[in-house]
Amino acid sequence: MADTLGTEEAPVAHGATARRKGQSNMSVDAEDPKENRLYSVSELSRELAITPRSMRFYEDKGLISPSRVGTTRVYSIRDRARMKLIIRGKQLGFTLRDIKQYLDLYDADPKHSAQKMLLLKQIQKKMRDLNAMSAAISATLSDLENIQQSLLNSFTVDAA
């Protein structure tokens, strides 16, 4: 099966050798099939309901680093988890910079305390921003309701 850039994707079997950018070969054995599961671009993009192009975009931005089997990108369980965090972060309105900071801290801090603190600060800022937007929306809705009522009242005066 070919992806949108015309590169061929082959199913990845256990025991295949995958190469991650900047790392030596890593052998994928069948010790724990779920933990060693590898996904092709099309498999993972289909599962996550995103396009293969989006996955390559996140790779270009340094958010994920898929391994390679030959010239084919393959994604591990870790890559899948990172993609889920990226998608969730985007849904919550976080920037790619915020998401990258969060993901980078995950690798650097085994206890994840810095990651949790950063996430807490980002969530609090996002809540402040959303509350301000909510107040602005409420004010706009109130203004629109007043205008609507004035217009409706003008119809009853004109009819009389």
Side-chain angles (χ1 to χ4, degrees):
M1 177 187 306
D3 67 9
T4 56
L5 290 181
T7 59
E8 181 145 332
E9 292 180 357
V12 180
H14 294 292
T17 300
R19 180 179 295 274
R20 184 173 296 279
K21 283 186 183 175
Q23 293 183 351
S24 61
N25 285 347
M26 35 183 222
S27 179
V28 181
D29 297 319
E31 292 172 10
D32 182 355
K34 183 172 173 130
E35 190 171 307
N36 293 326
R37 167 88 160 91
L38 295 176
Y39 301 84
S40 69
V41 172
S42 60
E43 287 175 319
L44 193 54
S45 63
R46 190 171 31 254
E47 179 183 325
L48 299 175
I50 62 172
T51 65
R53 184 175 180 186
S54 294
M55 292 183 63
R56 286 188 293 274
F57 174 78
Y58 294 133
E59 179 183 356
D60 290 343
K61 294 296 181 185
L63 296 170
I64 56 173
S65 298
S67 301
R68 304 272 179 173
V69 173
T71 58
T72 303
R73 289 174 176 90
V74 291
Y75 299 86
S76 65
I77 294 294
R78 179 181 181 273
D79 295 321
R80 180 177 171 268
R82 287 176 72 93
M83 282 302 304
K84 284 185 167 190
L85 288 171
I86 293 165
I87 292 166
R88 186 67 177 141
K90 290 302 294 174
Q91 289 170 340
L92 293 173
F94 292 108
T95 66
L96 289 180
R97 181 180 300 162
D98 292 338
I99 294 167
K100 183 167 180 12
Q101 280 183 311
Y102 180 77
L103 292 173
D104 289 346
L105 283 174
Y106 184 84
D107 293 335
D109 179 13
K111 292 184 180 182
H112 309 297
S113 55
Q115 183 186 33
K116 290 175 188 174
M117 186 56 88
L118 176 64
L119 181 59
L120 177 62
K121 287 179 181 178
Q122 288 175 334
I123 286 171
Q124 290 170 338
K125 181 184 182 316
K126 183 59 69 178
M127 289 174 66
R128 283 191 304 273
D129 293 347
L130 289 172
N131 281 325
M133 289 170 61
S134 178
I137 289 170
S138 292
T140 302
L141 281 171
S142 177
D143 290 345
L144 290 171
E145 287 169 355
N146 290 337
I147 293 168
Q148 176 185 356
Q149 191 58 51
S150 294
L151 288 171
L152 290 172
N153 289 342
S154 73
F155 289 132
T156 57
V157 169
D158 291 343

